Amino acid sequence: MDPFDAGAGGILRQPKAVWATAGASVVAFMGIGLVDPILPSIAKGLDASAGQVSLLFTSYFLITALAMLVTGFVSSRIGGRKTLLLGLAFVVVFAGLAGTSDTVGQLVGYRAGWGLGNALFVSTALAVIVGAAAGGSAAAILLYESALGLGMACGPLLGALLGDASWRYPFFGTAFLMAIGFLCITVFLKEQPKPARKTSLLDPIRALGHGGLASAAVSAFFYNYTFFTVLAFTPFVLNMTPYKSGAVFFAWGVLLAVFSVLVAPRMQRRFGSLKVLGGSLVLLAADVLVLGYGNHTAAIVCTILSGAFIGVNNTVYTELALGVSDAPRPVASAGYNFVRWFAAAAAPYFAPKIEEWTDVHTPFVVAAVTALLGAVVVVVRRRALTHEAEELEPQHASEDSVTVFAN
């Protein structure tokens, strides 16, 4: 069945509960890149350095990584609907408080609370969408993937539009949109069945005992360092107005969405997941090197182009993490994300530090090296990574409670 078919069960014929959750997911993913175009404005407004402002990403993703051990524990006990609402409530409160910050320390702290809320929401949203969808999981998963791509693309655009007036407005805007999402889910979404087995806090750690899953997590750790060097450090290198920076990262997000949802699956079918992943990581390494050493125009082009490689990598890593071990998919994904999100926390902290210690080019050299290290892990551990997601039976798709958050 074509998931885009407008008939029963197609992507356009879903219950209101599915659309409400997907809409809130768009806003949740917008929160990741929202601050990108306004990082220089925040630094100026709060009299902070690039390194201090980059901690907005570090605190956000450090809490996100730790929350991976908690989200399954919580949702398996209170249910998907209550977990979504709890996560949304955290985002509304902390995004709103972020807009009132008088110091960069306050803003970093509020951003950490925001990260906890986003982790609770996003890690549960796919399972809820699949459970409430009509006509099977294929269209529901595609809808969620599309929400992820749209959110990653529109986050920088919203940040630019609102941030041009004041760096505080994007935070207030996010709180407002998430409050609408909270109301929509309250009205349209009924409680979903709880899992038959409750998840413990240590289950994701135990899952990493599988060599294939651990290999995927380590490779993704190196890759994520590269990814978030581009996302968190490049705005300072481009040094553009919020509008121009927002346009650059909007184009970046569009490429990420297109290559994640449409291009990567076709490439995997033709060349195989490991060849696609290894090649994409090498190309990403070359791209960030040119970004770091090229002129301003080259830096803009390479920033946008990196979205294509990042989109491909995200999709392939997700399938590897979910299909490489025999652990339940939610547990495997939680363990995988627990490892790799630490790199998303580390890169925004270390990239400005490395610039202070050396020069503006070196952070991108380090990012290129980490991308290549990710490729090396794929090559060296290819036998452990050969049991891929497409080998699993399709009826297991409904178990992917944290699947696409791996993106």
Side-chain angles (χ1 to χ4, degrees):
M1 183 188 70
D2 182 359
F4 286 100
D5 185 4
I11 193 172
L12 301 178
R13 301 280 294 182
Q14 295 295 332
K16 292 179 180 178
V18 172
W19 286 110
T21 307
S25 298
V26 171
V27 182
F29 284 113
M30 286 170 62
I32 295 177
L34 179 82
V35 299
D36 254 33
I38 58 171
L39 286 175
S41 299
I42 294 173
K44 182 178 180 180
L46 294 178
D47 193 25
S49 67
Q52 289 174 316
V53 173
S54 293
L55 291 176
L56 293 176
F57 285 99
T58 298
S59 64
Y60 183 92
F61 287 112
L62 181 61
I63 295 301
T64 296
L66 295 173
M68 287 298 101
L69 303 180
V70 177
T71 53
F73 178 88
V74 173
S75 63
S76 66
R77 285 163 173 77
I78 69 174
R81 180 176 181 272
K82 291 178 181 177
T83 304
L84 290 181
L85 292 175
L86 179 63
L88 286 170
F90 269 100
V91 174
V92 170
V93 171
F94 284 102
L97 288 173
T100 67
S101 301
D102 294 320
T103 67
V104 70
Q106 290 178 353
L107 186 55
V108 169
Y110 293 143
R111 181 77 167 163
W114 183 347
L116 174 60
N118 224 42
L120 288 169
F121 175 84
V122 177
S123 64
T124 309
L126 178 60
V128 170
I129 288 176
V130 171
S137 62
I141 292 174
L142 181 59
L143 181 63
Y144 188 87
E145 289 270 11
S146 301
L148 183 152
L150 184 61
M152 290 293 285
C154 291
L157 194 61
L158 178 67
L161 292 174
L162 296 179
D164 188 60
S166 170
W167 65 264
R168 299 179 187 274
Y169 290 169
F171 298 107
F172 294 139
T174 299
F176 176 75
L177 291 174
M178 286 303 241
I180 293 175
F182 185 97
L183 293 175
C184 289
I185 288 177
T186 300
V187 173
F188 295 119
L189 180 64
K190 296 180 180 179
E191 184 57 84
Q192 305 295 297
K194 297 180 182 178
R197 177 180 175 275
K198 293 181 179 179
T199 301
S200 79
L201 293 175
L202 294 179
D203 280 350
I205 300 296
R206 295 190 185 103
L208 290 170
H210 185 280
L213 182 61
S215 299
V218 170
S219 179
F221 174 89
F222 289 124
Y223 155 67
N224 257 36
Y225 186 95
T226 308
F227 177 0
F228 285 93
T229 296
V230 173
L231 193 62
F233 184 65
T234 302
F236 293 104
V237 175
L238 296 180
N239 194 26
M240 303 166 74
T241 65
Y243 274 129
K244 291 181 179 179
S245 183
V248 168
F249 279 95
F250 174 72
W252 169 87
V254 169
L255 277 186
L256 187 153
V258 170
F259 275 75
S260 177
V261 177
L262 301 178
V263 177
R266 289 172 171 81
M267 294 179 65
Q268 288 175 270
R269 287 194 294 270
R270 182 169 180 178
F271 301 108
S273 294
L274 297 186
K275 289 182 180 179
V276 170
L277 181 59
S280 182
L281 287 168
V282 171
L283 290 173
L284 178 60
D287 181 81
V288 297
L289 272 180
V290 177
L291 196 167
Y293 281 94
N295 59 25
H296 193 258
T297 300
I300 293 173
V301 171
C302 288
T303 299
I304 295 172
L305 184 59
S306 69
F309 306 126
I310 289 169
V312 170
N313 294 337
N314 287 347
T315 295
V316 180
Y317 272 120
T318 297
E319 292 189 6
L320 287 176
L322 294 172
V324 75
S325 75
D326 55 2
R329 290 182 173 183
V331 174
S333 185
Y336 160 79
N337 280 297
F338 172 72
V339 173
R340 71 155 190 139
W341 283 123
F342 278 109
Y349 175 78
F350 283 112
K353 292 291 185 183
I354 293 171
E355 182 196 17
E356 292 176 9
W357 299 332
T358 56
D359 55 45
V360 72
H361 308 297
T362 308
F364 295 101
V365 175
V366 175
V369 170
T370 56
L372 291 176
L373 286 174
V376 169
V377 173
V378 171
V379 172
V380 173
R381 298 288 296 168
R382 59 187 179 279
R383 290 188 178 181
L385 294 169
T386 50
H387 181 55
E388 298 173 11
E390 59 262 33
E391 298 175 8
L392 299 179
E393 297 180 7
Q395 61 262 33
H396 290 170
S398 61
E399 299 173 10
D400 299 350
S401 69
V402 288
T403 304
V404 186
F405 190 51
N407 286 343

